[in-house]
Coordinates of all heavy atoms in Angstrom, one line a residue:
M1 N 192.2 93.7 7.2 CA 192.4 93.5 8.6 C 191.5 92.3 9.2 O 190.4 92.2 8.8 CB 192.0 94.8 9.4 CG 192.3 94.7 10.8 SD 192.0 96.3 11.7 CE 190.2 96.2 11.7
P2 N 192.1 91.5 10.0 CA 191.3 90.4 10.5 C 190.2 90.9 11.4 O 190.4 91.9 12.0 CB 192.3 89.5 11.3 CG 193.4 90.5 11.6 CD 193.5 91.5 10.5
D3 N 189.1 90.2 11.4 CA 188.0 90.6 12.3 C 188.2 90.1 13.7 O 187.8 89.0 14.0 CB 186.7 90.0 11.7 CG 185.7 91.1 11.3 OD1 186.1 92.3 11.5 OD2 184.6 90.7 10.8
L4 N 188.8 90.9 14.5 CA 189.0 90.5 15.8 C 187.8 90.9 16.7 O 187.3 91.9 16.6 CB 190.3 91.1 16.4 CG 191.6 90.6 15.7 CD1 192.7 91.6 16.0 CD2 191.9 89.2 16.2
A5 N 187.5 90.0 17.6 CA 186.4 90.3 18.6 C 186.9 89.9 20.0 O 187.7 89.0 20.2 CB 185.2 89.5 18.2
V6 N 186.3 90.6 20.9 CA 186.6 90.3 22.3 C 185.3 90.1 23.0 O 184.2 90.5 22.6 CB 187.3 91.4 23.0 CG1 188.8 91.5 22.5 CG2 186.6 92.8 22.8
V7 N 185.3 89.3 24.1 CA 184.1 89.1 24.9 C 184.1 90.0 26.1 O 185.0 89.9 26.9 CB 184.0 87.6 25.3 CG1 182.7 87.4 26.1 CG2 183.9 86.7 24.1
I8 N 183.2 90.9 26.2 CA 183.1 91.8 27.3 C 181.7 91.6 27.9 O 180.7 91.8 27.3 CB 183.3 93.3 27.0 CG1 184.8 93.4 26.4 CG2 183.1 94.2 28.2 CD1 185.1 94.9 26.0
G9 N 181.7 91.2 29.2 CA 180.4 91.0 29.8 C 179.5 90.0 29.0 O 178.3 90.3 28.8
R10 N 180.1 88.9 28.5 CA 179.4 87.9 27.8 C 179.0 88.3 26.4 O 178.5 87.4 25.6 CB 178.2 87.4 28.5 CG 178.5 86.7 29.8 CD 177.3 85.9 30.3 NE 177.4 85.6 31.7 CZ 176.4 85.5 32.5 NH1 175.2 85.6 32.1 NH2 176.6 85.3 33.8
R11 N 179.3 89.5 26.0 CA 178.9 89.9 24.6 C 180.1 90.0 23.7 O 181.2 90.4 24.1 CB 178.2 91.2 24.6 CG 176.8 91.1 25.3 CD 176.1 92.4 25.3 NE 175.9 92.9 23.9 CZ 175.3 94.1 23.6 NH1 174.9 94.9 24.6 NH2 175.2 94.5 22.4
N12 N 180.0 89.5 22.5 CA 181.0 89.5 21.6 C 181.1 90.9 21.0 O 180.1 91.4 20.4 CB 180.7 88.5 20.5 CG 181.8 87.5 20.3 OD1 182.8 87.5 21.1 ND2 181.7 86.7 19.3
T13 N 182.2 91.5 21.1 CA 182.3 92.9 20.6 C 183.5 93.0 19.7 O 184.6 92.5 20.1 CB 182.6 93.9 21.8 OG1 181.5 93.6 22.8 CG2 182.6 95.3 21.4
P14 N 183.3 93.6 18.5 CA 184.5 93.7 17.7 C 185.6 94.6 18.4 O 185.2 95.6 19.0 CB 184.0 94.5 16.4 CG 182.5 94.3 16.5 CD 182.1 94.1 17.9
L15 N 186.8 94.2 18.2 CA 187.9 95.0 18.9 C 187.9 96.4 18.5 O 188.2 97.3 19.3 CB 189.2 94.3 18.6 CG 190.4 94.8 19.4 CD1 190.2 94.5 20.9 CD2 191.7 94.1 18.9
T16 N 187.4 96.7 17.3 CA 187.4 98.1 16.8 C 186.3 98.9 17.4 O 186.3 100.1 17.3 CB 187.2 98.1 15.2 OG1 186.1 97.3 14.9 CG2 188.4 97.6 14.5
D17 N 185.4 98.3 18.2 CA 184.4 99.0 18.9 C 184.8 99.3 20.3 O 184.0 99.6 21.2 CB 183.1 98.3 18.9 CG 182.4 98.3 17.5 OD1 182.8 99.0 16.7 OD2 181.4 97.6 17.3
C18 N 186.1 99.1 20.6 CA 186.6 99.3 22.0 C 187.7 100.3 22.0 O 188.3 100.7 21.0 CB 187.1 98.0 22.5 SG 185.9 96.6 22.6
Y19 N 187.9 100.8 23.2 CA 189.1 101.6 23.5 C 189.9 100.9 24.6 O 189.4 100.1 25.4 CB 188.7 102.9 24.2 CG 188.0 103.9 23.3 CD1 186.7 104.4 23.7 CD2 188.5 104.4 22.1 CE1 186.0 105.3 23.0 CE2 187.8 105.3 21.4 CZ 186.6 105.8 21.8 OH 185.9 106.7 21.0
W20 N 191.2 101.1 24.6 CA 192.0 100.7 25.7 C 192.1 102.0 26.6 O 192.4 103.1 26.2 CB 193.5 100.4 25.2 CG 193.6 99.1 24.6 CD1 193.9 98.8 23.3 CD2 193.6 97.8 25.3 NE1 193.9 97.4 23.1 CE2 193.8 96.8 24.4 CE3 193.4 97.4 26.7 CZ2 193.8 95.4 24.7 CZ3 193.5 96.1 27.0 CH2 193.7 95.1 26.0
I21 N 191.8 101.8 27.9 CA 192.0 102.9 28.8 C 193.0 102.5 29.9 O 193.0 101.3 30.4 CB 190.7 103.4 29.4 CG1 190.0 102.3 30.2 CG2 189.8 104.0 28.4 CD1 188.8 102.9 31.0
Q22 N 193.8 103.4 30.3 CA 194.8 103.2 31.4 C 194.3 103.9 32.6 O 194.0 105.1 32.6 CB 196.1 103.7 31.0 CG 197.2 103.4 32.0 CD 198.5 104.1 31.7 OE1 198.5 105.2 31.2 NE2 199.6 103.5 32.0
S23 N 194.3 103.2 33.8 CA 193.8 103.8 35.0 C 194.9 103.8 36.0 O 195.7 102.9 36.1 CB 192.7 103.0 35.6 OG 191.6 102.9 34.7
A24 N 194.9 104.9 36.8 CA 195.8 105.0 38.0 C 195.2 104.1 39.1 O 194.0 103.8 39.0 CB 196.0 106.4 38.4
P25 N 196.0 103.8 40.1 CA 195.5 102.9 41.2 C 194.3 103.6 41.9 O 193.4 102.9 42.3 CB 196.7 102.9 42.2 CG 197.9 103.1 41.3 CD 197.4 104.0 40.2
C26 N 194.2 104.9 41.9 CA 193.1 105.6 42.6 C 191.8 105.5 41.8 O 190.7 105.8 42.3 CB 193.4 107.0 42.9 SG 193.7 108.0 41.4
G27 N 191.9 105.2 40.5 CA 190.7 105.2 39.7 C 190.7 106.3 38.6 O 189.9 106.2 37.7
C28 N 191.5 107.3 38.7 CA 191.6 108.3 37.6 C 192.1 107.6 36.3 O 192.9 106.7 36.4 CB 192.7 109.3 38.0 SG 192.2 110.5 39.2
I29 N 191.5 108.1 35.2 CA 192.0 107.5 33.9 C 193.2 108.3 33.5 O 193.2 109.6 33.6 CB 190.8 107.6 32.9 CG1 189.7 106.7 33.3 CG2 191.3 107.2 31.5 CD1 188.5 106.7 32.5
A30 N 194.2 107.6 33.1 CA 195.5 108.3 32.8 C 195.6 108.5 31.3 O 196.1 109.5 30.8 CB 196.7 107.5 33.3
S31 N 195.1 107.5 30.5 CA 195.2 107.7 29.0 C 194.3 106.7 28.3 O 193.7 105.8 29.0 CB 196.7 107.5 28.5 OG 197.1 106.2 28.8
L32 N 194.1 107.0 27.1 CA 193.1 106.3 26.3 C 193.7 106.1 24.9 O 194.3 107.1 24.4 CB 191.8 107.0 26.3 CG 190.7 106.5 25.4 CD1 189.3 106.7 26.0 CD2 190.7 107.2 24.0
T33 N 193.4 105.0 24.3 CA 193.8 104.8 22.8 C 192.8 104.0 22.1 O 192.2 103.1 22.7 CB 195.2 104.2 22.7 OG1 195.5 104.0 21.3 CG2 195.4 102.9 23.4
T34 N 192.6 104.2 20.9 CA 191.8 103.3 20.0 C 192.6 102.0 19.9 O 193.8 102.0 20.1 CB 191.5 103.9 18.7 OG1 192.8 104.3 18.1 CG2 190.6 105.2 18.8
T35 N 191.9 101.0 19.4 CA 192.6 99.7 19.3 C 193.3 99.5 17.9 O 194.0 98.5 17.7 CB 191.6 98.6 19.5 OG1 190.5 98.7 18.5 CG2 191.0 98.6 20.9
T36 N 193.1 100.4 17.0 CA 193.8 100.3 15.7 C 194.5 101.7 15.4 O 194.0 102.7 15.7 CB 192.8 100.1 14.6 OG1 191.8 101.1 14.6 CG2 192.2 98.7 14.7
K37 N 195.7 101.5 14.9 CA 196.5 102.7 14.5 C 197.0 102.5 13.1 O 197.5 101.4 12.8 CB 197.7 102.8 15.5 CG 197.3 103.1 16.9 CD 196.8 104.5 17.0 CE 196.1 104.7 18.4 NZ 195.5 106.0 18.5
P38 N 196.9 103.5 12.3 CA 197.4 103.4 10.9 C 198.9 103.2 11.0 O 199.6 103.9 11.8 CB 197.1 104.7 10.2 CG 196.5 105.6 11.3 CD 196.3 104.8 12.5
R39 N 199.5 102.3 10.2 CA 200.9 102.1 10.1 C 201.3 101.9 8.7 O 200.9 100.9 8.1 CB 201.4 101.0 11.0 CG 202.9 100.9 11.1 CD 203.4 99.8 12.0 NE 202.9 98.5 11.6 CZ 203.1 97.4 12.3 NH1 203.7 97.4 13.4 NH2 202.6 96.2 11.8
G40 N 202.0 102.8 8.1 CA 202.3 102.7 6.7 C 201.0 102.7 5.9 O 200.2 103.5 6.1
R41 N 200.9 101.7 5.1 CA 199.6 101.6 4.3 C 198.6 100.7 5.0 O 197.5 100.5 4.5 CB 199.9 101.0 2.9 CG 200.6 102.0 2.0 CD 200.7 101.4 0.6 NE 201.7 102.2 -0.2 CZ 202.2 101.7 -1.3 NH1 201.8 100.6 -1.8 NH2 203.0 102.4 -1.9
G42 N 199.1 100.1 6.1 CA 198.2 99.1 6.8 C 197.7 99.7 8.1 O 197.7 100.9 8.3
V43 N 197.3 98.7 8.9 CA 196.8 99.1 10.2 C 197.5 98.3 11.3 O 197.6 97.1 11.1 CB 195.2 98.8 10.3 CG1 194.7 99.1 11.7 CG2 194.5 99.7 9.3
N44 N 197.8 98.9 12.3 CA 198.4 98.3 13.5 C 197.3 98.0 14.5 O 196.7 99.0 14.9 CB 199.5 99.2 14.0 CG 200.4 98.5 15.0 OD1 200.4 97.3 15.1 ND2 201.2 99.2 15.8
V45 N 197.1 96.8 14.9 CA 196.0 96.5 15.8 C 196.6 96.3 17.2 O 197.5 95.5 17.4 CB 195.2 95.2 15.4 CG1 194.1 95.0 16.4 CG2 194.7 95.4 14.0
L46 N 196.1 97.0 18.1 CA 196.6 96.8 19.5 C 195.7 95.8 20.2 O 194.6 96.1 20.7 CB 196.5 98.2 20.3 CG 197.3 99.3 19.6 CD1 197.1 100.6 20.3 CD2 198.7 99.0 19.4
E47 N 196.2 94.5 20.2 CA 195.3 93.4 20.7 C 195.4 93.2 22.2 O 194.6 92.6 22.8 CB 195.7 92.1 20.0 CG 195.3 92.1 18.6 CD 195.8 90.8 17.9 OE1 195.6 89.7 18.5 OE2 196.5 90.9 16.9
T48 N 196.6 93.6 22.8 CA 196.8 93.3 24.2 C 197.1 94.6 24.9 O 197.5 95.6 24.4 CB 198.0 92.3 24.4 OG1 199.2 93.0 24.0 CG2 197.8 91.1 23.6
A49 N 196.9 94.5 26.2 CA 197.2 95.7 27.1 C 198.6 96.1 26.9 O 199.0 97.3 26.9 CB 196.9 95.3 28.5
E50 N 199.5 95.1 26.8 CA 200.9 95.4 26.6 C 201.2 96.1 25.3 O 202.0 97.1 25.3 CB 201.7 94.1 26.7 CG 203.1 94.3 27.1 CD 204.0 93.1 26.9 OE1 203.5 92.0 26.6 OE2 205.2 93.2 27.0
Q51 N 200.5 95.8 24.3 CA 200.7 96.5 23.0 C 200.2 97.9 23.1 O 200.8 98.8 22.6 CB 200.0 95.7 21.9 CG 200.7 94.4 21.5 CD 199.8 93.6 20.5 OE1 198.6 93.9 20.3 NE2 200.4 92.6 19.9
A52 N 199.1 98.1 23.8 CA 198.5 99.4 24.0 C 199.5 100.3 24.8 O 199.8 101.4 24.4 CB 197.2 99.3 24.7
H53 N 200.0 99.7 25.8 CA 201.0 100.4 26.7 C 202.2 100.8 25.9 O 202.7 101.9 26.0 CB 201.4 99.5 27.9 CG 201.9 100.2 29.0 ND1 202.3 99.6 30.2 CD2 202.0 101.5 29.3 CE1 202.7 100.5 31.1 NE2 202.6 101.7 30.5
R54 N 202.7 99.8 25.1 CA 203.9 100.1 24.3 C 203.7 101.2 23.3 O 204.5 102.0 23.0 CB 204.4 98.8 23.6 CG 205.9 98.8 23.4 CD 206.3 97.5 22.8 NE 205.8 96.3 23.6 CZ 205.6 95.1 23.0 NH1 205.8 94.9 21.7 NH2 205.1 94.1 23.8
H55 N 202.5 101.2 22.7 CA 202.1 102.3 21.8 C 202.1 103.6 22.4 O 202.6 104.6 21.9 CB 200.8 101.9 21.1 CG 200.3 103.1 20.2 ND1 200.8 103.2 19.0 CD2 199.4 104.1 20.5 CE1 200.2 104.3 18.4 NE2 199.4 104.8 19.3
M56 N 201.5 103.7 23.6 CA 201.3 105.0 24.3 C 202.6 105.5 25.0 O 202.8 106.7 25.1 CB 200.1 104.9 25.3 CG 198.8 104.6 24.7 SD 198.2 105.9 23.5 CE 197.7 107.1 24.7
V57 N 203.3 104.5 25.5 CA 204.5 104.9 26.3 C 205.7 104.1 25.7 O 206.0 103.0 26.1 CB 204.3 104.5 27.8 CG1 205.5 105.0 28.6 CG2 203.0 105.1 28.3
P58 N 206.4 104.7 24.7 CA 207.4 103.9 24.0 C 208.6 103.6 24.9 O 209.2 102.5 24.6 CB 207.9 104.9 22.9 CG 206.7 105.9 22.7 CD 206.1 106.0 24.1
L59 N 208.9 104.4 25.9 CA 210.1 104.1 26.7 C 209.8 103.0 27.7 O 208.9 103.1 28.6 CB 210.5 105.3 27.4 CG 211.3 106.3 26.6 CD1 211.7 107.5 27.5 CD2 212.6 105.7 26.1
K60 N 210.6 101.9 27.7 CA 210.3 100.8 28.6 C 210.5 101.3 30.1 O 209.7 100.8 30.9 CB 211.3 99.7 28.3 CG 211.1 98.4 29.2 CD 212.0 97.3 28.8 CE 211.7 96.1 29.6 NZ 211.6 96.2 31.1
R61 N 211.5 102.1 30.3 CA 211.7 102.6 31.7 C 210.4 103.3 32.2 O 210.0 103.1 33.4 CB 212.8 103.6 31.6 CG 213.2 104.3 32.9 CD 214.6 105.0 32.8 NE 214.8 105.6 31.5 CZ 214.4 106.9 31.2 NH1 213.7 107.6 32.1 NH2 214.6 107.4 30.0
E62 N 209.7 104.0 31.4 CA 208.5 104.7 31.8 C 207.4 103.7 32.0 O 206.6 103.8 32.9 CB 208.1 105.8 30.8 CG 209.0 107.0 30.8 CD 208.6 108.1 29.9 OE1 207.5 108.0 29.3 OE2 209.5 108.9 29.6
R63 N 207.3 102.7 31.1 CA 206.3 101.7 31.3 C 206.5 100.9 32.6 O 205.5 100.7 33.3 CB 206.3 100.7 30.1 CG 205.8 101.2 28.8 CD 205.4 100.1 27.8 NE 206.5 99.2 27.5 CZ 207.5 99.4 26.6 NH1 207.4 100.5 25.9 NH2 208.4 98.5 26.4
D64 N 207.7 100.5 32.8 CA 208.0 99.8 34.1 C 207.7 100.6 35.3 O 207.1 100.1 36.2 CB 209.5 99.4 34.1 CG 209.9 98.3 33.1 OD1 209.0 97.7 32.6 OD2 211.1 98.1 32.9
D65 N 207.9 101.9 35.2 CA 207.6 102.8 36.3 C 206.1 102.8 36.5 O 205.6 102.8 37.7 CB 208.1 104.2 36.0 CG 207.9 105.1 37.1 OD1 208.3 104.8 38.3 OD2 207.3 106.2 36.9
E66 N 205.3 102.9 35.4 CA 203.9 103.0 35.6 C 203.3 101.6 36.1 O 202.4 101.6 37.0 CB 203.2 103.3 34.2 CG 203.4 104.7 33.8 CD 202.7 105.0 32.5 OE1 202.2 104.1 31.8 OE2 202.6 106.2 32.1
N67 N 203.9 100.5 35.7 CA 203.5 99.2 36.2 C 203.8 99.1 37.7 O 203.0 98.6 38.5 CB 204.2 98.1 35.4 CG 203.7 97.9 34.0 OD1 202.6 98.4 33.7 ND2 204.5 97.3 33.2
R68 N 205.0 99.6 38.1 CA 205.3 99.6 39.5 C 204.4 100.4 40.3 O 204.0 100.1 41.5 CB 206.8 100.2 39.7 CG 207.8 99.2 40.1 CD 209.1 99.8 40.7 NE 209.5 100.9 39.8 CZ 210.3 100.8 38.7 NH1 210.7 99.6 38.4 NH2 210.7 101.8 38.0
R69 N 203.9 101.5 39.7 CA 203.0 102.4 40.5 C 201.6 101.9 40.4 O 200.7 102.5 41.0 CB 203.1 103.8 39.9 CG 204.4 104.5 40.3 CD 204.8 105.7 39.4 NE 203.7 106.7 39.3 CZ 203.6 107.5 38.3 NH1 204.3 107.4 37.2 NH2 202.6 108.4 38.3
G70 N 201.4 100.8 39.7 CA 200.0 100.1 39.8 C 199.0 100.6 38.7 O 197.8 100.4 38.9
F71 N 199.6 101.2 37.7 CA 198.7 101.6 36.6 C 198.2 100.3 35.8 O 199.0 99.4 35.6 CB 199.4 102.6 35.6 CG 199.5 104.0 36.1 CD1 200.2 104.3 37.2 CD2 198.8 105.0 35.5 CE1 200.3 105.6 37.7 CE2 198.9 106.3 35.9 CZ 199.6 106.6 37.0
T72 N 197.0 100.3 35.4 CA 196.5 99.1 34.7 C 195.8 99.5 33.4 O 195.3 100.7 33.3 CB 195.5 98.3 35.6 OG1 194.4 99.2 36.0 CG2 196.2 97.7 36.8
W73 N 195.7 98.6 32.5 CA 195.0 98.8 31.2 C 193.7 97.9 31.2 O 193.7 96.8 31.7 CB 195.9 98.4 30.1 CG 196.9 99.5 29.8 CD1 198.2 99.5 30.5 CD2 196.9 100.6 29.0 NE1 198.9 100.6 30.0 CE2 198.1 101.3 29.1 CE3 195.9 101.1 28.1 CZ2 198.4 102.5 28.4 CZ3 196.2 102.3 27.4 CH2 197.4 102.9 27.6
Q74 N 192.7 98.5 30.6 CA 191.5 97.7 30.4 C 190.8 98.1 29.1 O 190.9 99.2 28.7 CB 190.6 97.9 31.7 CG 189.2 98.3 31.4 CD 188.5 98.6 32.7 OE1 188.8 99.5 33.5 NE2 187.4 97.9 32.9
L75 N 190.1 97.1 28.6 CA 189.4 97.3 27.3 C 188.0 97.6 27.6 O 187.3 96.9 28.4 CB 189.5 96.0 26.5 CG 189.3 96.0 25.0 CD1 190.3 96.9 24.3 CD2 189.5 94.6 24.5
V76 N 187.5 98.7 27.1 CA 186.1 99.1 27.3 C 185.4 99.3 26.0 O 186.1 99.8 25.1 CB 185.9 100.3 28.2 CG1 186.4 100.0 29.6 CG2 186.5 101.5 27.6
T77 N 184.2 99.0 25.9 CA 183.5 99.3 24.6 C 183.3 100.8 24.5 O 183.2 101.5 25.5 CB 182.1 98.6 24.5 OG1 181.3 99.2 25.6 CG2 182.2 97.1 24.7
K78 N 183.3 101.3 23.2 CA 183.1 102.7 23.0 C 181.8 103.2 23.6 O 181.6 104.2 24.1 CB 183.2 103.0 21.5 CG 184.7 102.9 21.0 CD 184.7 103.2 19.5 CE 186.2 103.0 19.0 NZ 186.3 103.2 17.6
V79 N 180.8 102.3 23.4 CA 179.4 102.6 23.9 C 179.5 102.9 25.4 O 179.0 103.9 25.9 CB 178.4 101.5 23.6 CG1 177.1 101.7 24.3 CG2 178.2 101.4 22.1
R80 N 180.1 101.9 26.1 CA 180.2 102.1 27.6 C 181.0 103.3 28.0 O 180.7 104.0 28.9 CB 180.8 100.8 28.2 CG 180.7 100.9 29.7 CD 181.2 99.7 30.4 NE 181.7 100.1 31.7 CZ 182.8 99.7 32.3 NH1 183.5 98.7 31.7 NH2 183.2 100.2 33.4
Y81 N 182.1 103.5 27.2 CA 183.0 104.6 27.5 C 182.2 105.9 27.4 O 182.2 106.7 28.3 CB 184.2 104.7 26.6 CG 185.0 105.9 26.8 CD1 185.9 106.0 27.9 CD2 184.8 107.0 26.0 CE1 186.6 107.1 28.1 CE2 185.5 108.2 26.2 CZ 186.4 108.2 27.3 OH 187.1 109.4 27.5
H82 N 181.5 106.1 26.3 CA 180.8 107.4 26.1 C 179.6 107.5 27.1 O 179.2 108.6 27.5 CB 180.3 107.5 24.7 CG 181.5 107.7 23.8 ND1 182.3 108.9 23.8 CD2 182.1 106.9 22.9 CE1 183.3 108.8 23.0 NE2 183.2 107.6 22.4
A83 N 179.0 106.4 27.5 CA 177.8 106.4 28.4 C 178.2 106.7 29.8 O 177.6 107.4 30.6 CB 177.0 105.1 28.3
E84 N 179.3 106.0 30.2 CA 179.7 106.1 31.7 C 180.9 106.9 32.0 O 181.0 107.3 33.2 CB 179.9 104.6 32.2 CG 178.6 103.8 32.1 CD 178.9 102.3 32.4 OE1 179.9 102.1 33.1 OE2 178.2 101.4 32.0
I85 N 181.8 107.0 31.1 CA 183.0 107.7 31.5 C 183.2 109.0 30.8 O 183.3 110.1 31.5 CB 184.2 106.8 31.1 CG1 184.1 105.4 31.8 CG2 185.5 107.5 31.6 CD1 185.1 104.4 31.3
G86 N 183.1 109.1 29.5 CA 183.2 110.3 28.8 C 184.3 111.2 29.2 O 185.5 110.7 29.1
T87 N 184.0 112.4 29.6 CA 185.1 113.3 30.0 C 185.4 113.2 31.5 O 186.3 113.9 32.0 CB 184.8 114.7 29.6 OG1 183.5 115.1 30.2 CG2 184.7 114.9 28.1
R88 N 184.7 112.4 32.2 CA 184.9 112.3 33.7 C 186.1 111.3 33.9 O 185.9 110.2 34.3 CB 183.6 111.8 34.4 CG 182.5 112.8 34.2 CD 181.2 112.1 34.6 NE 181.3 111.6 36.0 CZ 180.6 112.2 37.0 NH1 179.9 113.2 36.8 NH2 180.7 111.7 38.2
W89 N 187.2 111.8 33.7 CA 188.4 110.9 33.9 C 188.9 110.9 35.3 O 189.8 110.1 35.7 CB 189.5 111.4 33.0 CG 189.4 111.0 31.6 CD1 188.3 110.7 30.9 CD2 190.5 110.7 30.7 NE1 188.5 110.3 29.6 CE2 189.9 110.3 29.4 CE3 191.9 110.8 30.7 CZ2 190.6 110.0 28.3 CZ3 192.6 110.5 29.6 CH2 192.0 110.1 28.4
T90 N 188.4 111.8 36.1 CA 189.0 111.9 37.5 C 188.2 111.1 38.5 O 187.0 111.1 38.4 CB 188.9 113.4 37.9 OG1 189.4 114.2 36.8 CG2 189.8 113.7 39.1
C91 N 188.9 110.4 39.4 CA 188.2 109.6 40.4 C 187.6 110.5 41.4 O 187.9 111.7 41.5 CB 189.2 108.7 41.0 SG 190.3 109.5 42.2
Q92 N 186.7 109.9 42.3 CA 186.0 110.7 43.3 C 187.0 111.5 44.2 O 186.8 112.7 44.5 CB 185.2 109.8 44.1 CG 183.9 110.4 44.6 CD 182.7 109.6 44.2 OE1 182.7 108.4 44.4 NE2 181.6 110.2 43.8
Q93 N 188.0 110.8 44.5 CA 189.0 111.4 45.5 C 189.6 112.6 44.9 O 189.9 113.6 45.6 CB 190.0 110.3 45.7 CG 191.2 110.7 46.6 CD 192.3 109.6 46.6 OE1 192.0 108.5 46.0 NE2 193.4 109.9 47.1
H94 N 189.9 112.6 43.6 CA 190.6 113.8 43.0 C 189.7 114.8 42.3 O 190.2 115.7 41.7 CB 191.6 113.2 42.0 CG 192.7 112.5 42.7 ND1 193.1 111.2 42.5 CD2 193.6 112.9 43.7 CE1 194.1 110.8 43.3 NE2 194.4 111.8 44.0
R95 N 188.4 114.5 42.3 CA 187.5 115.4 41.6 C 187.4 116.7 42.5 O 187.2 116.6 43.7 CB 186.1 114.7 41.5 CG 185.3 115.2 40.3 CD 184.1 114.4 40.0 NE 184.5 113.1 39.4 CZ 183.8 112.0 39.6 NH1 182.7 111.9 40.3 NH2 184.2 110.9 39.0
K96 N 187.5 117.8 41.8 CA 187.5 119.1 42.6 C 186.1 119.6 42.8 O 185.9 120.3 43.8 CB 188.3 120.1 41.9 CG 189.8 119.7 41.9 CD 190.7 120.9 41.6 CE 192.2 120.5 41.7 NZ 192.7 120.1 40.4
D97 N 185.2 119.3 42.0 CA 183.8 119.9 42.0 C 182.9 119.1 42.9 O 181.7 119.3 42.8 CB 183.3 120.1 40.6 CG 183.1 118.8 39.9 OD1 183.6 117.8 40.4 OD2 182.6 118.8 38.8
V98 N 183.4 118.2 43.7 CA 182.5 117.5 44.6 C 182.7 117.9 46.1 O 183.8 118.1 46.5 CB 182.7 115.9 44.5 CG1 181.9 115.2 45.5 CG2 182.4 115.5 43.1
Ligands
ZN101 ZN1 192.4 109.8 41.3

């Protein structure tokens, strides 16, 4: 597999150290995927937000619907994800325990 890296906050991060996360317009996290997926004997690398979206939501109609509703994808490092997001997927507005 090629050694892909992305620059996040000025730091070079291997793509494999990141997750793709999808957020709703309010800030709730809707879904998450790793950047690599086994495919046959090889590995499928999700390099772009669009590839991640296509992997998670195979139906174009549903992807278009999510795009219309303002869902976005962003690449976050696994370190940052586990430090800042973890299981807190719900935005302040939708959090029930606040
Ligand atoms: Zn929310």
Side-chain angles (χ1 to χ4, degrees):
M1 185 176 74
D3 239 2
L4 290 165
V6 291
V7 178
I8 297 178
R10 293 195 200 150
R11 291 181 59 181
N12 237 3
T13 307
L15 193 60
T16 48
D17 287 351
C18 299
Y19 294 125
W20 282 109
I21 60 172
Q22 185 191 34
S23 304
C26 64
C28 282
I29 295 176
S31 61
L32 172 147
T33 177
T34 53
T35 57
T36 56
K37 294 288 169 187
R39 186 178 60 186
R41 286 188 199 164
V43 175
N44 192 15
V45 183
L46 306 176
E47 289 176 50
T48 65
E50 203 191 350
Q51 288 171 349
H53 202 183
R54 212 177 305 152
H55 173 80
M56 296 298 282
V57 185
L59 281 180
K60 185 179 186 302
R61 178 165 39 85
E62 290 180 14
R63 288 198 305 274
D64 288 347
D65 183 54
E66 288 183 350
N67 288 339
R68 247 195 317 275
R69 287 158 57 205
F71 283 66
T72 55
W73 286 88
Q74 126 185 63
L75 202 57
V76 297
T77 63
K78 290 180 179 176
V79 169
R80 186 179 152 217
Y81 175 81
H82 291 293
E84 296 175 21
I85 304 169
T87 54
R88 295 166 59 108
W89 278 30
T90 314
C91 74
Q92 212 127 41
Q93 176 192 348
H94 292 121
R95 208 169 286 153
K96 290 199 178 90
D97 58 354
V98 174

